[in-house]
């Protein structure tokens, strides 16, 4: 049957290719069905996809703590579980939604779901005997209240036993993440493959001896302390249990084991878990004090493919490098010998290994002493996602003590840490590229030596002039960046060296190193991950023990503020408290000295920018919300007239508004609480006054700094209106005195927006505000007339010309003013670059302004559609306003709005393209020329599926209405569009989105629109020949195979086989018997068999 898989990970079948002839079909089906196993037949009743589907309107506000028969009946009666829920043979149950806070969960609770004497009987009971996955995440279960107690088991045992409860016999996946479990007793589920227990309070490694089929065990973020006996050096729980385990996650626990114990753990894993491929150990206490643990694990576990964040593959350069380094540190005996190898030499190697492990264990205990200081230890977290990009791992200083190869050069390099010597050493790389790795290692050794000794002055011995020192530092950092670009094998080492040199605050060394790291982070995902790793590991920890006045702390903050990457947000969560304290401290200092200035202003800006970056990570936003002092002070700073008018503080000011905006939009249900505090400080009123006070000038004459502040202020005002409209609405009408009378903030917005050429940022913010006011009936009735008259929407129209060529040129020129970092840069741009054509318009501020314009115009089209709908009784009061807005929409149509919008599809911005496609109504194909059709076709770029799903979906839908509904268009463009749609579907199916719910849904949405287009195309006979070509048959198989490999098995299916392409039996057989056949136990293969059956009996089943 079509539906859910019987197992997300089952053995691969060995189906071979069929003879695609009528005579061979029956024989082939019979043979292939045997490979699917007797236990894999379809259940007699339809399956349920999930427990929490259907209507939930009757359950709002309710939370269930048990799963009694009464509770389940209530859920069924409320239709929360969907139609005919009791009649379905359930494969998946999910109790993780916000309606459940289960404090108990015992298999006895399901006694109403089966009959003890006839467990397979349906009768009046719910079918649960075929259950495959059970999700109990995010509840409040404890070990005392979870499971069933058997008479033959101890009182403190927690039991889940399939023999006691038949509904668990088929269970493959059990999820109990984010509960309150402290101890996991006996789990007796012989078919269980995946067990997820992360985010609990588990203190002991669970017993696994009754889980023979277990492949995945997730114990991350618990409190596990492995009890490895010093004499036996073994872990009893590892013995004779879960021998098929492939993935083990012990990250973020309390493992405190010395090197001898860790070696014993690895030996246990190697002997009892021969299939282990993934091992997560990071963020445990022992990782800090035993930095070589990754090298030891990589050498001991030869089949390991993933270790923490390191991607390892057998016989690759990356693994070889790690193993060679492990041999240097632990001796040749670290690599396990093949069975049968004996001899005195092997015994000697074992003795050497044990001796070195004992010495490291002694060092381990010394490092743990409080006076050693955790943050002073050098760790070796490696980032080797791609061995081709990183073929060399970093040695910590402790490695050099036992290294056999090259110790003299390393020690020599470490002893001479003068910057002149380091520059000369790197010069050798340019003269002889083969000397890159040795020279880079010496530079890294020098960086380690300086960081550990704290002797930064020695770098600049024999250099008298300060300017020469600064110039030498700049040359040195530039050398590192250049070598990193040219030598991939040395890049990881150089990234670490830059991070270590951040300990030098003098002569801009720290700031330049961080600036170099920020630049390198833009090179690609792998380099970005490596840079973020050393920032988290090396750069940020010292901030925990520093004061803001510390010169090194100041340099780190200013340097990190140059990073323009969201990847830094999560890393800053560990220092969020310090950043808040720094902000308050610097603010108090500035108040004490009368505003600060100079470096104080620069530092204030840098701290603010780091906080802005941090609050993009939701936990940091909540932390800032809880820290009332800093949030209140931010509100005061934004409301301050002095800060608004001070041109030196414009960067800080804009950053403060962004912090407030990000926090308010990131804290979910607490947004009103957050903005309520702003209302108490009358922030909206103060901002309105600031805007009115400066609006007496033309925006073209205002300084860019003031325009940016006006924009930021408008964004905050309308965010407050959106979240707390009742409390803030009066700000729109308050008349504020100006030099030439009294104006409201709406009057000022209209004045600025209706200028001959308005500042683009002010225009965008104003139009977004007007769109908001037109969006609700109350504000629309009040302000629509004023907006339409003020912008002359029924006359000369002050807005539409901005998307035409002439005014677009002015708009783009002003956008360039904002984007330029300085006046000199603006002059430099103007000297060689004129305003580009639309395909070359890359300025992001221009893009944002265009989106605001298009959304504003689109609002009138929406109101026109609303005006044409029949009105209910009592809705007539707003009819005049809707009619006026509909007239504006008609006027826009007459002025060629759609033609102008079509041209904007050439702008290289997904945001602009999506806004335009939303705004374009149903277009008449006869009105479009070849260039306009070509513009639409150019949007169908298969290579952009990972970042432009919504745009591609919009474009496919728009082309469906144009191409498929017009005879001429079908004949001219049908084949071309279908080819692109298949390419997009193929590329989309390849994306690995498993585990990311948002990306899964975006991926599925795009694939659904593509399949819908293909189904619609099949309704036209002229296009059917294009659905069965050599190209489409290959795409057809690849799409289904990639869906099998990369889709979450719980995600709803993309049934391509139900289209016309899938109604061809040879195509279907090829999916089952090609070189890469569909997996025999996955649902895609079952769907294909079902489709074959439909076709053979002539069933008209279509997608």
């Amino acid at each position: 049957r079509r539906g859910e898989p019987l197992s997300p990970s089952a053995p691969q079948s060995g189906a071979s290719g069929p003879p695609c002839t009528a005579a061979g079909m029956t024989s082939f089906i019979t043979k292939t069905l045997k490979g699917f196993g007797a236990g894999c037949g379809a259940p007699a009743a339809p399956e349920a996809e999930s427990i929490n589907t259907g209507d939930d309107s009757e359950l709002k506000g309710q939370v269930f703590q048990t799963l009694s028969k009464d509770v389940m009946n209530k859920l069924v009666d409320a239709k929360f579980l969907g139609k005919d829920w009791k009649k379905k043979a359930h494969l998946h149950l999910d109790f993780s939604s916000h309606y459940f806070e289960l404090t108990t969960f015992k298999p006895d609770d399901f006694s109403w779901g089966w009959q003890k004497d006839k467990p397979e009987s349906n009768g009046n009971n719910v079918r649960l005997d075929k259950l495959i996955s059970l999700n109990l995440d995010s509840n409040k279960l404890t070990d005392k209240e979870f499971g069933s107690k058997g008479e033959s088991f101890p009182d403190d045992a927690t039991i889940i036993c399939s023999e006691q409860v038949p509904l668990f016999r088929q269970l493959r996946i059990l999820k109990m993440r984010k509960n309150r479990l402290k101890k996991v007793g006996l789990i007796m589920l012989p078919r269980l493959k995946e067990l997820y227990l992360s985010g609990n309070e588990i203190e002991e490694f669970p017993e696994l001896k009754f889980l023979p089929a277990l492949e995945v065990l997730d114990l991350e973020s618990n409190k596990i302390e492995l009890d490895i006996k010093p004499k036996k050096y073994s872990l009893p729980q590892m013995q004779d249990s879960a021998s098929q385990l492939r993935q083990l996650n012990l990250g973020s626990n309390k493992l405190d084991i010395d090197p001898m114990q860790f070696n014993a753990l690895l030996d246990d894993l190697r002997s009892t878990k021969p299939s282990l491929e993934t091992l997560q150990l990071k963020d445990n206490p022992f990782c800090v004090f035993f930095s070589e643990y990754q090298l030891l694990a990589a050498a001991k576990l030869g089949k390991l493919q993933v270790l923490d964040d390191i991607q390892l593959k057998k016989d690759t350069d990356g693994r070889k490098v790690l193993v060679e380094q492990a041999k240097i540190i632990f001796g040749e005996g670290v690599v396990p010998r093949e069975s049968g190898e004996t001899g005195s030499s092997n015994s000697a190697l074992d003795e050497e290994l044990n001796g070195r492990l004992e010495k490291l264990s002694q060092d381990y205990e010394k490092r743990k002493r409080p006076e050693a200081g955790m943050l002073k230890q050098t760790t070796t977290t490696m980032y080797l996602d791609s061995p081709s990009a990183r073929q060399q791992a970093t040695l910590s200083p402790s490695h050099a003590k036992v290294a056999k190869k090259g110790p003299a050069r390393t020690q020599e390099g470490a002893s001479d840490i003068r910057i002149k010597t380091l520059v000369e050493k790197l010069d050798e790389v340019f003269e002889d590229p083969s000397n890159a790795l040795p020279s880079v290692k010496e530079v890294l050794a020098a960086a380690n030596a300086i960081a550990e000794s704290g002797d930064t002055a020695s770098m600049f011995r024999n250099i008298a002039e300060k300017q020469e020192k600064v110039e030498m530092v700049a040359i040195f950092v530039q050398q590192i960046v250049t070598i990193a670009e040219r030598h991939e094998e040395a890049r990881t080492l150089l990234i670490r060296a830059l991070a270590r040199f951040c300990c030098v605050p003098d002569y801009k060394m720290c700031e330049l190193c961080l600036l170099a790291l920020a630049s390198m982070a833009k090179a690609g995902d792998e380099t970005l991950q490596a840079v973020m790793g050393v920032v988290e590991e090396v750069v940020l920890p010292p901030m925990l023990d520093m004061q803001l006045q510390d010169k090194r702390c100041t340099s780190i903050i200013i340097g990190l503020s140059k990073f323009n990457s969201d990847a830094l947000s999560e890393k800053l969560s560990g220092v969020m408290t310090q950043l808040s304290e720094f902000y308050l401290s610097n603010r108090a200092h500035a108040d004490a000295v009368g505003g600060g200035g100079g470096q104080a202003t620069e530092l204030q800006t840098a701290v603010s920018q780091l906080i802005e970056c941090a609050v993009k990570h939701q936990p940091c936003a909540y932390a800032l919300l809880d820290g009332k002092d800093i949030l209140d002070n931010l509100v005061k700073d934004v409301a301050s007239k002095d800060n608004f008018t001070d041109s030196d503080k414009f960067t800080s000011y804009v950053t403060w508004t962004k912090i407030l905006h990000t926090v308010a939009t990131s804290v979910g249900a607490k947004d009103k609480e957050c903005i309520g505090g702003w209302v108490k400080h009358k922030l909206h009123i103060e901002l309105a006054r600031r805007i009115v006070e400066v609006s007496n000038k033309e925006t073209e004459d205002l300084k860019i700094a003031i325009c940016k502040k006006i924009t930021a202020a408008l964004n905050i005002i309308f965010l407050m209106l959106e979240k707390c409209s009742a409390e803030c609405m009066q700000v729109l009408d308050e008349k504020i005195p100006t030099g030439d009378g009294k104006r409201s903030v709406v009057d000022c917005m209209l004045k600025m927006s209706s200028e001959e050429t308005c500042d683009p940022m002010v225009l965008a913010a104003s139009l977004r505000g007007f769109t908001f006011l037109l969006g609700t009936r109350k504000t629309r009735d009040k302000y629509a007339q004023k907006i339409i008259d003020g912008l002359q929407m029924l006359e000369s129209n002050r807005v539409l010309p901005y998307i035409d060529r002439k005014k677009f040129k002015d708009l783009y020129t002003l956008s360039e003013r904002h984007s330029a970092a300085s006046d000199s840069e603006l002059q430099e741009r103007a000297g060689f670059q004129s305003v580009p054509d639309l395909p070359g318009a890359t300025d992001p501020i221009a893009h944002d302004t265009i989106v605001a314009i298009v959304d504003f115009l689109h609002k009138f089209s929406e109101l026109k559609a609303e005006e044409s709908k029949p009105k209910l009784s009592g809705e007539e009061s707003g009819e005049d306003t809707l009619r006026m807005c509909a007239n504006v929409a008609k006027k826009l149509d007459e002025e060629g709005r759609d033609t102008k919008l079509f041209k904007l599809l050439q702008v290289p911005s997904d945001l602009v393209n999506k806004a335009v496609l939303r705004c374009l109504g149903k277009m008449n194909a006869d009105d479009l020329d070849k260039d306009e059709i070509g513009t639409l076709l150019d949007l169908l770029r298969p290579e952009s599926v990972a970042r432009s799903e919504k745009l591609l979906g919009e474009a496919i839908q728009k082309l469906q209405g144009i191409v498929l509904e017009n005879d001429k268009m079908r004949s001219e463009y049908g084949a071309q569009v279908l080819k692109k749609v298949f390419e997009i579907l193929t590329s989309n199916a390849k994306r690995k989105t498993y585990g990311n719910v948002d990306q899964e849904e975006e991926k599925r949405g795009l694939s659904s629109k593509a399949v819908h287009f293909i189904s619609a195309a099949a309704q036209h006979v002229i296009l059917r020949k294009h659905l069965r070509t050599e190209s489409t048959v290959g795409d057809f198989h690849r799409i289904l195979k990639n869906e099998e490999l990369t889709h979450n098995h719980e995600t709803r299916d993309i049934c391509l086989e139900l289209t016309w392409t899938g109604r061809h039996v040879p195509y279907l057989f090829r999916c089952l018997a090609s070189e890469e056949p569909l997996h025999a136990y996955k649902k895609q293969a079952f769907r294909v068999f079902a489709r074959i059956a439909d076709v053979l009996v002539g069933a008209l089943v279509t997608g």
Side-chain angles (χ1 to χ4, degrees), residues 791-808:
L791 297 177
Q792 302 178 24
M793 299 300 293
L794 290 172
E795 300 169 14
S796 58
N797 198 318
R798 293 289 188 174
V799 179
L800 188 62
Y802 278 109
I803 61 175
D804 210 353
R805 178 62 188 168
K806 183 180 182 303
K807 290 201 75 170
F808 175 80

Side-chain angles (χ1 to χ4, degrees), residues 1063-1084:
R1063 194 172 172 76
H1064 194 46
V1065 173
Y1067 284 12
L1068 297 170
F1069 274 125
R1070 198 175 300 189
C1071 294
L1072 299 172
S1074 64
E1075 293 181 359
E1076 290 185 291
L1078 295 177
H1079 198 298
Y1081 287 86
K1082 299 292 180 72
K1083 58 181 177 180
Q1084 288 75 18

Side-chain angles (χ1 to χ4, degrees), residues 288-292 295 325 328-329 359-360 363 367 375-382 393-407 410-411 414-415 417 441-454 493 496-497 500 537-538:
V288 176
F289 305 111
F290 178 37
S291 59
E292 302 86 351
L295 301 179
Q325 291 183 350
I328 293 173
I329 299 167
K359 177 65 170 61
L360 286 169
D363 292 341
R367 294 178 187 177
L375 296 178
K376 293 181 182 179
Q377 303 304 320
T378 304
T379 59
T380 57
T381 302
M382 299 166 212
T394 304
L395 293 179
S396 71
S398 59
H399 297 173
K401 298 177 183 178
V402 295
K404 288 183 175 180
K405 301 179 181 179
T410 301
Q411 294 299 331
S415 64
I417 60 175
K441 286 181 180 178
E442 291 184 31
V443 171
L444 179 57
N448 288 333
I450 294 170
E452 294 203 342
S453 67
L493 302 181
R496 181 169 291 274
R500 299 294 277 173
E537 176 193 344
V538 179

Side-chain angles (χ1 to χ4, degrees), residues 836-901:
D837 293 331
L838 290 177
T842 58
D843 187 88
I845 292 176
H847 294 168
D848 182 63
T849 308
I850 293 171
V851 170
I853 293 170
V854 173
D855 287 344
F856 176 69
L857 299 177
H858 181 46
K859 178 57 66 177
F860 289 102
S861 299
E862 290 181 338
L863 295 175
K864 177 185 175 184
E866 186 175 339
E867 190 265 345
S868 63
K869 294 179 182 177
K871 303 294 182 295
L872 299 175
S873 176
E875 291 186 347
E876 295 83 359
S877 59
E879 196 170 341
D880 291 341
T881 304
L882 286 175
R883 190 178 300 111
M884 180 169 50
C885 293
N887 290 336
V888 172
K890 293 175 184 175
K891 176 75 171 174
L892 291 171
D893 291 339
E894 293 171 2
E895 293 178 351
R897 177 196 56 183
D898 285 358
T899 302
K900 293 179 172 67
L901 288 173

Side-chain angles (χ1 to χ4, degrees), residues 972-1005:
E972 285 190 32
Y973 298 103
Q976 189 177 353
V977 177
L978 276 171
K979 183 176 183 295
K980 282 182 172 285
V981 169
F982 264 104
E983 289 174 353
I984 288 171
L985 193 56
T986 303
S987 297
N988 198 41
K990 292 178 184 177
R991 292 175 56 205
K992 296 180 180 179
T993 56
Y994 189 91
N996 189 316
V997 177
D998 293 337
Q999 289 186 14
E1000 283 273 359
E1001 192 57 34
E1002 290 172 351
K1003 176 181 177 180
R1004 187 194 167 280

Side-chain angles (χ1 to χ4, degrees), residues 1026-1095:
H1026 303 299
L1027 294 172
R1028 292 183 185 171
T1029 65
E1030 281 301 314
S1031 173
T1032 56
V1033 66
D1035 290 340
F1036 180 77
H1037 177 213
R1038 281 191 293 273
I1039 291 165
L1040 287 175
K1041 185 63 181 178
N1042 283 319
E1043 180 188 341
E1044 171 195 288
L1045 294 173
T1046 63
H1047 280 216
N1048 186 331
H1049 65 278
E1050 295 180 354
T1051 302
R1052 285 184 292 169
D1053 296 348
I1054 306 298
C1055 297
L1056 181 62
E1057 72 279 358
L1058 297 184
T1059 63
W1060 180 260
T1061 305
R1063 194 172 172 76
H1064 194 46
V1065 173
Y1067 284 12
L1068 297 170
F1069 274 125
R1070 198 175 300 189
C1071 294
L1072 299 172
S1074 64
E1075 293 181 359
E1076 290 185 291
L1078 295 177
H1079 198 298
Y1081 287 86
K1082 299 292 180 72
K1083 58 181 177 180
Q1084 288 75 18
F1086 281 98
R1087 283 171 20 208
V1088 168
F1089 265 107
R1091 183 58 167 164
I1092 291 173
D1094 291 338
V1095 174

Side-chain angles (χ1 to χ4, degrees), residues 638 644 653 657 661 678 683-684 686-692 694-695 699 706-722 731-732 744-750 752-753 758-770 772-773:
V638 171
F644 192 90
Y653 188 89
T657 61
H661 200 286
W678 306 358
L683 176 61
H684 52 308
E686 293 298 324
L687 291 177
R689 288 174 180 168
R690 302 291 88 77
I691 293 170
V692 173
V694 300
S695 64
T699 60
I706 292 297
C707 290
K708 287 186 175 181
K709 289 180 180 179
I710 292 173
T711 302
L714 285 173
N715 289 338
I716 292 293
I717 288 173
F718 279 96
L719 176 65
M720 296 177 71
L721 285 169
E722 179 185 347
V731 73
L732 296 177
S744 69
V745 68
V746 174
D747 294 333
C748 293
M749 291 165 60
L750 287 169
M752 293 184 291
S753 303
C758 180
D759 178 86
M761 292 189 72
V762 173
L763 177 63
S766 299
L767 292 179
R768 279 193 289 265
F770 297 147
F772 169 80
L773 294 177

Side-chain angles (χ1 to χ4, degrees), residues 624-659:
L624 199 69
L625 181 61
D626 294 337
K628 297 293 184 182
D629 288 344
I630 182 172
L631 205 58
D632 288 346
N633 280 289
L634 279 166
V635 172
K636 291 176 183 177
D637 284 340
V638 171
S640 167
K641 180 177 180 179
D642 291 339
N643 288 338
F644 192 90
T645 55
D646 188 347
S647 59
D648 291 335
K649 290 186 176 180
F650 92 89
T651 303
S652 295
Y653 188 89
V654 172
T655 303
W656 296 333
T657 61
K658 288 180 180 178
I659 293 172

